[in-house]
Amino acid sequence: MKALLVEDEQRIASFVCSGLREQGILVDHCEDGNQGYEYALSRQYDIILLDIMVPGRDGLAILKALRRDGRDTPVILLTARNELDDRLQGLNLGADDYLAKPFYMEELVARIHALLRRVNGERQNVLTAGPLKLDRLSRVAQLDGREVELTSREFNLMEYLMRAPGRVYTRTQILEHVWGYDFDPQTNMVDVCIQRLRKKLALPEHVAIEAVRGVGYRLRKPDSDA
């Protein structure tokens, strides 16, 4: 899971980023609304956490523009307690939920999971590839019904590949989505993590992790002969 946080209060931003990362959620943080809007347009996120009062383009303007552009990424507004009118306006503009400050990290995480269940449906919270099952909420991996211990990076990488079996992801795409940072595309971190996953999971050939020469990796579709 990958989140975008647009929040200019450093104390709150640090608190939220740390709490989400402890849950295995990757976070991009922007302090400025203009940058936050650019990130939301140019990168793929599962959830956007949007403070209403941010410098530059404010949160409601960002939300309005995203919905106008056809972007349906779930949005949770972070608001001050006395901003009732803004909360109502935000919901009318297409926000999926709101949370008043101050809030507990546990409540934010619960709201994120509840929102994604509503948006994606319960079945998409459990990804399946042959004998492998990943529960995206509990972050538990099972192989033939037996729990397999994966690191946070390994789990995120396997989840990324399992979202779209057969789709080829470049190393750069994997680095950005799984590690959440910009790395030299020549780094071998992706290859090393793939090797560890292959060793731990020993997936059957019909759902194996395949290398696509000169491009990247994909999870083989069960019915694919490629």
Side-chain angles (χ1 to χ4, degrees):
M1 192 184 302
K2 189 170 184 179
L4 171 63
L5 172 65
V6 184
E7 170 62 69
D8 65 317
E9 295 186 48
Q10 190 55 47
R11 181 181 60 83
I12 294 176
S14 178
F15 164 71
V16 171
C17 287
S18 297
L20 293 182
R21 286 166 182 155
E22 287 176 0
Q23 296 293 319
I25 300 174
L26 296 174
V27 187
D28 284 343
H29 170 226
C30 298
E31 297 180 358
D32 175 85
N34 294 328
Q35 184 185 38
Y37 179 60
E38 291 177 5
Y39 272 44
L41 288 181
S42 61
R43 304 186 181 190
Q44 179 183 355
Y45 296 101
D46 298 289
I47 190 81
I48 296 175
L49 307 175
L50 189 56
D51 182 28
I52 288 181
M53 300 298 294
V54 289
R57 191 188 297 246
D58 68 36
L60 293 178
I62 294 172
L63 175 62
K64 183 177 181 179
L66 289 176
R67 296 302 188 239
R68 182 194 61 216
D69 294 338
R71 303 303 178 105
D72 59 358
T73 307
V75 171
I76 297 178
L77 295 176
L78 306 179
T79 75
R81 288 194 180 279
N82 61 354
E83 293 175 341
L84 176 60
D85 290 343
D86 286 340
R87 293 202 297 269
L88 294 176
Q89 185 181 354
L91 293 173
N92 289 329
L93 287 173
D96 299 275
D97 199 356
Y98 69 85
L99 191 57
K101 304 175 184 177
F103 52 82
Y104 291 102
M105 195 64 224
E106 293 84 351
E107 182 179 4
L108 176 59
V109 171
R111 284 175 179 261
I112 289 173
H113 286 162
L115 175 55
L116 293 180
R117 281 197 299 270
R118 294 200 304 270
V119 171
N120 298 326
E122 285 286 352
R123 288 181 297 175
Q124 292 190 23
N125 289 324
V126 177
L127 301 177
T128 303
L132 178 65
K133 289 185 178 182
L134 292 187
D135 188 317
R136 301 174 66 193
L137 296 184
S138 66
R139 294 185 64 79
V140 171
Q142 290 187 330
L143 189 66
D144 287 323
R146 175 180 55 86
E147 187 170 330
V148 180
E149 185 176 347
L150 299 180
T151 67
S152 180
R153 300 289 191 210
E154 292 166 352
F155 190 99
N156 289 344
L157 176 51
M158 199 65 223
E159 176 192 357
Y160 193 42
L161 295 175
M162 288 174 68
R163 286 186 181 187
R167 176 178 172 179
V168 179
Y169 293 98
T170 67
R171 287 174 175 80
T172 300
Q173 287 174 319
I174 294 172
L175 281 169
E176 180 181 325
H177 195 94
V178 176
W179 274 262
Y181 303 98
D182 294 324
F183 285 100
D184 180 349
Q186 300 303 315
T187 181
N188 69 343
M189 285 192 298
V190 173
D191 306 278
V192 170
C193 195
I194 291 286
Q195 290 171 10
R196 290 202 307 264
L197 279 170
R198 285 172 168 167
K199 184 176 181 180
K200 284 186 176 183
L201 300 175
L203 292 171
E205 184 178 352
H206 68 284
V207 288
I209 302 173
E210 296 181 320
V212 179
R213 187 184 297 272
V215 183
Y217 291 96
R218 68 180 176 187
L219 185 69
R220 187 180 176 94
K221 279 188 176 181
D223 58 351
S224 173
D225 295 325

